[in-house]
Amino acid sequence: MSTPDLRSITVNQIGYSTEGVKIAIINGEGQDFRVIHEETGTVAYAGKSSAAVLDKPSGARAHAADFSEVRTAGRYYVEGEDGAVSASFVIADKPYQELQQGLLKAFYYFRCGVELTGEYAGPWAHGPCHTAEGIVHGQPEKRLDCCGGWHDAGDYGKYSGPGAKAIADLLLAYELYPAAFAAAVPLPESDGRTPDVLLECKVELDWLLKMQEAGTGGVYHKLTTLSFPGLDVMPEDDTAELYISPVSAAATGDFAGVMAMAARVYEPYDQAYARRCLAAAQAAWTWLEQHPGVPGFTNPPGITTGEYGDGNDQDERFWAAAELYRTTGGDDYHEAVQALAKQPFPKYSLGWADMGGYGTLAYLLSGESAAQTALYASLKQGLLAEADRLVRQSRDDGYRISLREEDYIWGSNMLVMNNAMLLLAAEHFSGNPAYAGCALDHLHYLMGRNVLDISYVTGFGDRPVMHPHHRPSVGDGVADPVPGMVSGGPDRGLHDEYVALHLQGKPAAQCFADHDLSYSTNEVTIYWNSPAVFVTARFNV
Ligand code: G3I
Ligand code: 9MR
Ligand code: ZN
């Protein structure tokens, strides 16, 4: 084992629900184990772990220690016969409520253009940032107000497509699990009437509306400085000129999708805003129709910030058409959905580059009666087949998740949470609780039941990520990082200098460094947080 105090018995460091399955994973020799009630020291359960799974992605000899029989609320830890102990965790009816609130609150901390006040941000308060107008790339005399929204990540760029993915996850979570969003975060805008999740998403939607090119309906790809600022630069000190990169089809498709979604979701709370979002979505759709074949975005000369390149925009167009159809019921949009569905792109993927899954979900959520029978059936069957594949892969995995060795890529934790989302979508359309059980196993991995014994969410769990590649957390002089942020997670590609130097030869799931220099394994982003909000919301209803 690489770290001397790495615990061999790992658990979800937050805990488990009273009635649910409770499994710890022991790495090493199989053994008798006991579950100890922390306060009293009494043995709540004694059992024997299962036979070993030799787990290729993690390099572990993984044994399952099942203590589902413990159903009394309280705080516990697991102890092996060799004296090894796990993190302590709770057993409670709703163990993930604070976690969900923290994951959602992170979006407040990502806000740009406004002061984060002590009242809401505590020690992580800072001044207003990036308030200057942006220069339209290639037109030095043209400047536009692009203030607001959320920073993308550990850097301060604001990128339209990734922003749309993040909003989509949050709005979908709200549409499917509204009861999980009853409590206030709270936010400065909380009004006791509009759910806070909608108020937070409005921050990014308002910014996206500014990214739509007047007259054409196309959407600018991103707003960034020419290059990334230093790692300890606070947002308000990042005062280099801001540049608006050209319109892209991917950004425009994502924009149309998310605005059509917003038109539907905000309608009961703010009709004028809903109408504005719909008009913006329709204008973007018109741009897409007028630009059927356009090359994918690449960074203009002189700009070296995140590219978010995407060679295929059919999936973004599919999502746009499906949301516009779901919101308006328009025949033209329905025809576009059917035509685009024939194109070869992933239909069940929820990544920033592959948005086809959102189109599939929008079409299925329109309902069977609104849909074309054969397309509805094939998308539903395809979704369930994909979920079945994820369940099978999870069954073969020592830590019970669906990632294979090759899936530990940059931002692997997005895949962990996206796959859990897809499983929950399958649960929604089939009513089969086995999919939810598998999704929950993915949350257990994120929160510490992994070979590194780490909680990948800052501020949550016994051993959370402490040194994310996140400029405010590096620059603010506060010991603890900004809380509630999901770290990217292991990337076997060893894509930064720090991990390339320190982690050669490690198994895929160990290619992670809790070091602020490791931007390829330990950065944070809005679109890694958002699927985690969706997943936790499901378990808070
Ligand atoms: O999809 C391929 C896969 O088929 C292949 O097996 C695998 C092998 O490494 O690579 C996969 O592609 C990776 C891709 O992410 C997957 O989404 C690339 O290697 C990897 O380089 C790429 O990383 C992206 C990274 O930017 C570098 O471009 C991340 O997804 C993306 O989240 C990240 O985004 C950055 C922004 O540029 C700037 N802001 C911060 C943000 C997070 O780090
Ligand atoms: O800090 C940057 C991070 O936010 C980006 O996601 C990442 C993507 O490429 O790049 C980071 O910047 C690094 C740059 O790419 C290479 N030199 C070191 C920079 C980090 O300090
Ligand atoms: Zn900012």
Side-chain angles (χ1 to χ4, degrees):
M1 235 162 273
S2 60
T3 318
D5 66 344
L6 196 65
R7 288 175 298 209
S8 57
I9 306 181
T10 58
V11 294
N12 179 327
Q13 295 174 14
I14 302 298
Y16 301 86
S17 80
T18 324
E19 293 305 319
V21 175
K22 303 167 195 74
I23 292 175
I25 301 291
I26 303 180
N27 177 9
E29 295 313 311
Q31 47 180 304
D32 295 335
F33 71 91
R34 307 188 304 167
V35 178
I36 312 290
H37 186 250
E38 197 175 54
E39 206 176 78
T40 59
T42 53
V43 178
Y45 183 81
K48 196 167 181 48
S49 63
S50 71
V53 172
L54 298 175
D55 191 48
K56 190 117 182 286
S58 66
R61 281 175 63 84
H63 308 258
D66 190 329
F67 54 98
S68 304
E69 280 178 32
V70 184
R71 290 200 184 84
T72 308
R75 184 164 271 284
Y76 300 86
Y77 61 91
V78 179
E79 187 181 70
E81 62 181 296
D82 63 356
V85 291
S86 76
S88 85
F89 56 86
V90 300
I91 291 180
D93 278 346
K94 296 268 177 72
Y96 312 121
Q97 275 173 334
E98 262 178 63
L99 175 62
Q100 184 200 326
Q101 292 296 77
L103 290 163
L104 181 55
K105 176 67 182 282
F107 290 87
Y108 170 79
Y109 291 114
F110 277 118
R111 284 189 191 188
C112 181
V114 289
E115 181 189 3
L116 302 191
T117 63
E119 186 183 352
Y120 293 96
W124 300 286
H126 66 76
C129 54
H130 307 106
T131 51
E133 292 187 322
I135 301 167
V136 180
H137 188 266
Q139 294 171 258
E141 70 297 340
K142 192 168 168 191
R143 288 175 188 254
L144 297 173
D145 165 30
C146 287
C147 188
W150 301 319
H151 299 135
D152 179 58
D155 66 314
Y156 300 132
K158 293 185 284 187
Y159 306 81
S160 302
K165 168 182 163 51
I167 303 171
D169 292 338
L170 298 178
L171 294 187
L172 269 174
Y174 171 70
E175 282 193 302
L176 262 57
Y177 314 117
F181 293 93
V185 171
L187 300 171
E189 298 81 6
S190 296
D191 61 9
R193 189 183 82 92
T194 316
D196 278 356
V197 63
L198 301 192
L199 296 170
E200 191 55 60
C201 286
K202 187 166 181 294
V203 167
E204 182 76 350
L205 286 162
D206 285 347
W207 170 74
L208 272 176
L209 287 166
K210 297 180 182 181
M211 293 296 281
Q212 186 167 40
E213 188 176 48
T216 73
V219 176
Y220 299 116
H221 194 76
K222 61 172 177 173
L223 174 79
T224 69
T225 48
L226 290 177
S227 55
F228 293 116
L231 193 53
D232 60 355
V233 176
M234 286 299 283
E236 63 271 38
D237 299 327
D238 180 33
T239 53
E241 297 270 30
L242 295 166
Y243 286 84
I244 298 171
S245 281
V247 165
S248 74
T252 307
D254 286 335
F255 175 98
V258 82
M259 286 297 165
M261 204 176 185
R264 184 173 69 241
V265 176
Y266 287 76
E267 164 75 22
Y269 299 99
D270 186 344
Q271 287 169 20
Y273 192 66
R275 274 197 298 276
R276 187 174 165 212
C277 291
L278 184 58
Q282 287 167 328
W285 179 256
T286 302
W287 185 96
L288 292 168
E289 284 192 314
Q290 288 167 354
H291 298 79
V294 279
F297 177 86
T298 51
N299 263 337
I303 297 190
T304 59
T305 47
E307 185 164 82
Y308 289 116
D310 183 355
N312 186 355
D313 59 41
Q314 300 295 306
D315 49 330
E316 285 81 10
R317 290 170 190 264
F318 175 64
W319 180 37
E323 290 290 355
L324 278 160
Y325 177 56
R326 185 174 173 209
T327 296
T328 67
D331 288 339
D332 290 0
Y333 300 127
H334 199 190
E335 275 162 32
V337 172
Q338 293 172 61
L340 285 159
K342 297 197 176 86
Q343 299 296 317
F345 59 81
K347 303 285 186 306
Y348 309 100
S349 176
L350 305 170
W352 56 260
D354 295 310
M355 297 291 284
Y358 294 96
T360 295
L361 295 184
Y363 193 64
L364 293 178
L365 287 166
S366 302
E368 202 167 356
S369 59
Q372 197 256 329
T373 311
L375 181 55
Y376 185 92
S378 94
L379 290 177
K380 182 173 166 184
Q381 187 251 318
L383 172 67
L384 298 184
E386 181 65 8
D388 290 339
R389 180 178 72 88
L390 297 176
V391 169
R392 278 197 305 277
Q393 286 171 193
S394 304
R395 225 177 263 148
D396 290 343
D397 183 65
Y399 286 86
R400 305 170 71 90
I401 63 164
S402 55
L403 270 59
R404 300 151 304 183
E405 201 177 9
E406 63 269 31
D407 295 325
Y408 288 85
I409 56 172
W410 190 319
S412 61
N413 281 336
M414 177 179 82
L415 214 54
V416 173
M417 287 293 103
N418 279 357
N419 288 358
M421 254 185 96
L422 212 76
L423 287 158
L424 293 173
E427 181 207 22
H428 179 84
F429 291 111
S430 69
N432 181 349
Y435 294 129
C438 187
L440 187 53
D441 278 330
H442 288 68
L443 185 63
H444 295 335
Y445 166 94
L446 190 77
M447 301 314 297
R449 201 178 68 184
N450 55 59
V451 68
L452 296 178
D453 182 33
I454 192 163
S455 158
Y456 286 112
V457 181
T458 56
F460 286 84
D462 181 59
R463 290 192 182 166
V465 163
M466 285 300 287
H467 307 287
H469 183 86
H470 177 243
R471 286 173 172 73
S473 295
V474 175
D476 63 10
V478 180
D480 284 332
V482 168
M485 301 184 304
V486 174
S487 163
D491 171 13
R492 71 205 274 257
L494 302 180
H495 284 117
D496 66 66
E497 301 75 359
Y498 184 87
V499 292
L501 192 62
H502 291 96
L503 300 182
Q504 291 295 337
K506 290 275 185 198
Q510 295 195 35
C511 291
F512 171 81
D514 183 14
H515 194 289
D516 58 25
L517 288 177
S518 181
Y519 53 84
S520 68
T521 75
N522 202 24
E523 194 165 352
V524 295
T525 76
I526 51 174
Y527 55 88
W528 298 338
N529 258 71
S530 55
V533 172
F534 182 98
V535 173
T536 47
R538 160 61 183 83
F539 297 104
N540 284 330
V541 287

